[in-house]
Amino acid sequence: MPDSRLHQLSALGQSVWIDFLSRDLVQQGELARMMEEDAVTGVTSNPTIFQKAISQGSAYDEQLRDLIEHEDDAMKIFIALAGRDVGDACDLMRSVWDGGAGLRGYVSMEVDPTLAYDSAGTLAEAKRLHALVDRANLYVKIPATPDGVGPIEEMIALGKSINVTLIFSLERHREVMEAYIRGIERFVEGGGDPRPVSSVASYFVSRVDTEADKRLEGHPELQGRLAVANAKLAYQSWKEVFSGARWEALEAKGASKQWCLWASTSTKNPAYRDVLYVEDLIGPETVNTMPEETIQAFQDHGEVALTIEQDLVEAHRVFEQVEAAGVSVDDVTHTLEVEGVQKFTDSFEELLDGIRAKRGELVSA
């Protein structure tokens, strides 16, 4: 399907990624099919996705049986299981990465979210995951908490690629971009070649509307508008940061920009168009990572056009109107950051409980 809607979207400079990964997806050829038919050029994963994959079916049972002979720590078992899936997906995506067409061909693996407020622990875990999977096209995901910004810079300064996750606010995005640039500067100053090093800044989109809409009851004209406005202004901030003499000096040495990645792009409110967070955020040098249902919906009826820089005056106006309605945008994004970490932490604990239960079943058998 070379002329599919997602291929047309990709031709405008936006990378299509999927936000799910499982052993069956890789081994049964579904990921390869999506690469060909849906223009998929990257994969992200998180504890919730792995929890579902590992708890369902028997795809992981053989490796689990091998692991439980010498390992009873659920965390170590999970890292071994997930590490194999991520490594296999990296291998499948390697040809895309080798093609050098921007920030494409990456697979992401997340740092333990319980470390989100532990800088030293996050840094150590990020190093461990990069060493474990050991693929050039691996992204290790670090959350954009205040305690995550330092490890992001440190990993980039070590020449390791990072997916910065759980970004909600324009201010935090600025901090993340600065951390990336400082890391690249340090890496280059140390004699490193920046060409294989990259990063994405993952903005969680739909959750902004979910939280803001609750606070905007009584203002239906403002509901469903803040998330897109927030992302559009983030793109403008990105254009500003990755321009000028400081960045151009790094780019001349082969450094790549830290692209904006639109995450959480399935529509949570059934009253909204199901491809809202794809159609309204199409632009060059960006990524949209989608769940399967959003990919199918966009392939069926998505409209392809460069939209990321449309209605910028209106985007600023939305911020003003939301504040005038008595809703603090800063409080919305802060709440989402805290809740985002907690949700991932809860999912991670559920995942480890699931592994313990699965291990118990196999030991009994």
Side-chain angles (χ1 to χ4, degrees):
M1 299 174 62
D3 198 36
S4 76
R5 287 179 170 85
L6 285 174
H7 283 90
Q8 294 168 27
L9 180 149
S10 183
L12 294 179
Q14 184 170 80
S15 290
V16 179
W17 291 11
I18 56 173
D19 75 349
F20 53 98
L21 179 63
S22 70
R23 190 152 299 180
D24 284 344
L25 187 78
V26 177
Q27 293 185 348
Q28 295 183 9
E30 181 63 9
L31 178 55
R33 183 200 65 77
M34 297 181 80
M35 291 169 66
E36 179 179 354
E37 297 183 7
D38 298 314
V40 168
T41 59
V43 182
T44 61
S45 61
N46 62 51
T48 303
I49 298 299
F50 274 118
Q51 193 276 330
K52 291 177 181 177
I54 293 171
S55 65
Q56 297 172 357
S58 58
Y60 295 86
D61 287 3
E62 182 179 352
Q63 187 185 2
L64 263 170
R65 289 190 186 95
D66 292 338
L67 287 168
I68 62 178
E69 290 183 5
H70 57 82
E71 185 60 71
D72 58 6
D73 183 272
M75 171 69 81
K76 292 179 180 179
I77 291 173
F78 162 67
I79 294 296
L81 295 172
R84 178 181 292 185
D85 285 359
V86 170
D88 288 347
C90 282
D91 292 343
L92 187 59
M93 285 277 170
R94 181 60 190 253
S95 61
V96 178
W97 187 85
D98 286 337
L103 298 186
R104 295 180 171 90
Y106 282 90
V107 181
S108 298
M109 185 173 184
E110 186 142 358
V111 164
D112 176 353
T114 65
L115 300 171
Y117 303 111
D118 177 354
S119 294
T122 292
L123 181 59
E125 185 73 355
K127 290 178 179 179
R128 182 163 78 103
L129 294 180
H130 260 295
L132 172 72
V133 178
D134 193 22
R135 304 294 200 282
N137 56 332
L138 171 71
Y139 273 143
V140 169
K141 295 172 74 174
I142 295 177
T145 59
D147 297 294
V149 174
I152 291 161
E153 178 182 338
E154 292 301 319
M155 290 302 293
I156 296 298
L158 292 171
K160 301 299 182 183
S161 296
I162 296 297
N163 177 341
V164 185
T165 188
L166 286 177
I167 301 174
F168 297 96
S169 74
L170 300 174
E171 292 75 19
R172 182 76 80 233
H173 185 209
R174 281 271 183 175
E175 294 175 19
V176 165
M177 290 187 286
E178 285 295 323
Y180 173 68
I181 291 176
R182 287 195 304 268
I184 288 288
E185 287 174 334
R186 290 171 55 192
F187 186 60
V188 169
E189 287 168 4
D193 177 2
R195 286 174 295 181
V197 186
S198 71
S199 180
V200 288
S202 295
Y203 250 87
F204 280 57
V205 182
S206 67
R207 293 188 192 182
V208 173
D209 277 342
T210 300
E211 179 64 26
D213 284 1
K214 293 186 296 185
R215 306 182 186 204
L216 288 166
E217 292 183 2
H219 295 276
E221 74 283 358
L222 294 177
Q223 291 178 320
R225 298 176 65 193
L226 184 60
V228 167
N230 194 42
K232 288 191 173 192
L233 295 185
Y235 187 76
Q236 293 304 302
S237 182
W238 170 83
K239 287 181 66 177
E240 179 184 333
V241 170
F242 289 98
S243 63
R246 182 187 182 192
W247 175 250
E248 288 167 4
L250 294 172
E251 196 168 43
K253 296 179 180 179
S256 61
K257 299 171 184 175
Q258 182 189 54
W259 287 8
C260 294
L261 180 152
W262 314 128
S264 185
T265 56
S266 62
T267 307
K268 307 301 187 291
N269 188 332
Y272 301 157
R273 185 167 166 82
D274 58 358
V275 288
L276 167 66
Y277 303 118
V278 182
E279 288 179 337
D280 284 12
L281 298 176
I282 299 172
E285 298 182 296
T286 60
V287 178
N288 196 307
T289 181
M290 311 177 201
E292 188 171 15
E293 62 270 19
T294 303
I295 284 179
Q296 292 171 351
F298 194 87
Q299 288 286 54
D300 180 67
H301 53 263
E303 296 180 5
V304 181
L306 288 172
T307 54
I308 191 65
E309 296 194 270
Q310 292 179 359
D311 302 321
L312 294 179
V313 172
E314 181 62 22
H316 284 284
R317 187 177 294 119
V318 166
F319 268 65
E320 295 169 359
Q321 291 172 333
V322 168
E323 294 282 350
V327 174
S328 166
V329 175
D330 286 345
D331 189 66
V332 167
T333 56
H334 174 71
T335 297
L336 288 168
E337 181 182 294
V338 173
E339 287 183 353
V341 171
Q342 189 59 53
K343 286 178 180 178
F344 276 0
T345 299
D346 292 345
S347 291
F348 198 69
E349 295 297 341
E350 186 179 352
L351 165 67
L352 296 182
D353 286 343
I355 288 174
R356 294 184 189 105
K358 191 90 169 180
R359 180 185 181 279
E361 293 172 9
L362 293 174
V363 168
S364 298

